[in-house]
Amino acid sequence: MTSTLLIVQIVLAIAITIAVLLQKSSSIGLGAYSGSNESVFGAKGPTGFLAKLTFTLAFAFIVNTLALGYLYTTANTASVADTIVPANNAAVPAAPTTPENTTPTAPSAPTAN
């Protein structure tokens, strides 16, 4: 299921890129190449159609992204850090323990001989 959604995600990303590049901008961009197809999209030309198509593709892209994220997190409950074993298979040393009721003593004064 996730592999199918991943393929759909890639196709949606390419389709969104093409739809954005075909839209008319201040420098015309790739929209200049669709000038002969204006009668197919209606009297306003491709601008209204491409805007609606871009919005629909973007919405499908976001829904697909959320679905992929949900499926990946439910499928992978274990962490990679759970499987790490030290190279020498040694256990991590514990912190040294000290007796609880020991207080430091002052050094004794030197004695005269």
Side-chain angles (χ1 to χ4, degrees), residues 2-99:
T2 55
S3 60
T4 304
L5 288 177
L6 190 59
I7 292 170
V8 170
Q9 185 82 355
I10 293 169
V11 170
L12 283 172
I14 293 170
I16 288 172
T17 304
I18 291 170
V20 167
L21 288 176
L22 286 175
Q23 290 183 15
K24 192 173 189 176
S25 65
S26 61
S27 64
I28 303 294
L30 288 177
Y33 297 116
S34 65
S36 63
N37 295 332
E38 288 184 10
S39 61
V40 175
F41 300 113
K44 291 184 177 181
T47 55
F49 172 75
L50 286 175
K52 290 177 186 175
L53 178 69
T54 305
F55 176 77
T56 305
L57 289 173
F59 183 75
F61 185 83
I62 291 171
V63 169
N64 196 28
T65 303
L66 292 174
L68 274 171
Y70 176 75
L71 290 175
Y72 274 122
T73 54
T74 56
N76 300 327
T77 56
S79 174
V80 176
D82 295 338
T83 60
I84 295 175
V85 178
N88 59 1
N89 291 333
V92 177
T97 58
T98 57

